[in-house]
Amino acid sequence: KAGVTQTPRYLIKTRGQQVTLSCSPISGHRSVSWYQQTPGQGLQFLFEYFSETQRNKGNFPGRFSGRQFSNSRSEMNVSTLELGDSALYLCASSLEAGVWTEAFFGQGTRLTVV
Amino acid sequence: DQQVKQNSPSLSVQEGRISILNCDYTNSMFDYFLWYKKYPAEGPTFLISISSIKDKNEDGRFTVFLNKSAKHLSLHIVPSQPGDSAVYFCAASAETGNQFYFGTGTSLTVIP
């Protein structure tokens, strides 16, 4: 069974640009969550999607957006990139929303904004 | 505002001894807790969980203890092995669902 796949693995962008990150969940998983990991901040929750609907949203500015497709694949978009957006972006999938269960993480996309 | 705190950024333990990783939380509504392990260049992997109806959960060498009155949980690894060297994150959720609040992580080094 394939795990969570995130593409690309590494990305370098310039301030002011926009970026789109992709996440393919484990087959059969319908819930996808996104997290930002920066040194000293741990994993900060961005948003969660279930059945193409955003179910939860973390405390991030509107420059961070996402969506989920009918096949459960999810994309995350960051517009008007800032230096502080440099981070490891992790996607996690789980079977269902609203159920106590662990989430399975991808390897992440390392975004560097210069 | 960090609702889940891991106050020890790093911990070193001799192989074969016990590793104790601590986690504190501030939100009394949290009722489900997990520990994840993360190796460099990999995503976090699930280790063990506990719900608030229990105060202890064991899985092999890993045991998680929950003290609800103190809003504290800990992960015990006995015996510690060099392969356990990784960053450990604790996470908490306030309801059934997937919005987890993560701590900042503790980097464990097990010395052979």
Side-chain angles (χ1 to χ4, degrees):
Chain A
K1 196 175 187 180
V4 179
T5 304
Q6 289 188 246
T7 55
R9 289 290 312 278
Y10 302 93
L11 209 47
I12 300 176
K13 288 286 188 178
T14 305
R15 266 183 305 174
Q17 286 186 310
Q18 67 94 28
V19 68
T20 299
L21 312 181
S22 178
C23 171
S24 294
I26 292 171
S27 178
H29 284 197
R30 298 199 293 161
S31 177
V32 174
S33 300
W34 288 90
Y35 292 84
Q36 179 194 66
Q37 185 188 6
T38 54
Q41 291 294 316
L43 279 73
Q44 304 287 312
F45 173 77
L46 281 154
F47 25 67
E48 180 209 352
Y49 285 88
F50 178 75
S51 291
E52 302 177 64
T53 301
Q54 188 181 86
R55 188 168 171 268
N56 283 305
K57 189 177 191 307
N59 190 25
F60 277 81
R63 299 185 298 108
F64 292 81
S65 63
R67 58 179 175 167
Q68 187 180 33
F69 302 94
S70 58
N71 61 357
S72 295
R73 190 178 72 85
S74 176
E75 287 183 347
M76 190 191 99
N77 186 277
V78 187
S79 62
T80 320
L81 283 165
E82 302 176 359
L83 295 178
D85 296 333
S86 296
L88 179 68
Y89 290 87
L90 291 159
C91 159
S93 80
S94 57
L95 202 54
E96 293 285 343
V99 175
W100 278 346
T101 183
E102 67 272 23
F104 296 84
F105 283 85
Q107 292 182 289
T109 294
R110 172 74 62 185
L111 172 65
T112 302
V113 182
V114 296
Chain B
D1 180 33
Q2 197 75 23
Q3 296 192 52
V4 177
K5 298 177 184 177
Q6 294 175 259
N7 292 318
S8 298
S10 61
L11 176 68
S12 290
V13 171
Q14 288 289 134
E15 181 179 4
R17 308 292 284 268
I18 183 172
S19 295
I20 300 177
L21 294 92
N22 294 304
C23 180
D24 296 294
Y25 59 95
T26 57
N27 189 339
S28 57
M29 298 300 291
F30 287 151
D31 54 8
Y32 189 56
F33 306 87
L34 307 93
W35 284 92
Y36 280 84
K37 180 169 72 173
K38 186 180 184 300
Y39 294 116
E42 294 183 13
T45 54
F46 170 73
L47 199 55
I48 192 169
S49 64
I50 188 168
S51 72
S52 59
I53 60 173
K54 300 173 78 170
D55 54 18
K56 175 183 174 182
N57 190 25
E58 228 172 317
D59 183 3
R61 297 185 297 111
F62 302 90
T63 303
V64 57
F65 295 92
L66 175 63
N67 183 332
K68 292 184 287 291
S69 61
K71 297 193 184 68
H72 177 84
L73 66 156
S74 60
L75 175 68
H76 292 210
I77 307 173
V78 183
S80 300
Q81 299 173 355
D84 296 329
S85 297
V87 177
Y88 290 79
F89 291 95
C90 66
S93 175
E95 57 183 83
T96 55
N98 295 313
Q99 185 172 356
F100 285 103
Y101 296 84
F102 281 81
T104 51
T106 295
S107 178
L108 173 66
T109 301
V110 180
I111 303 162

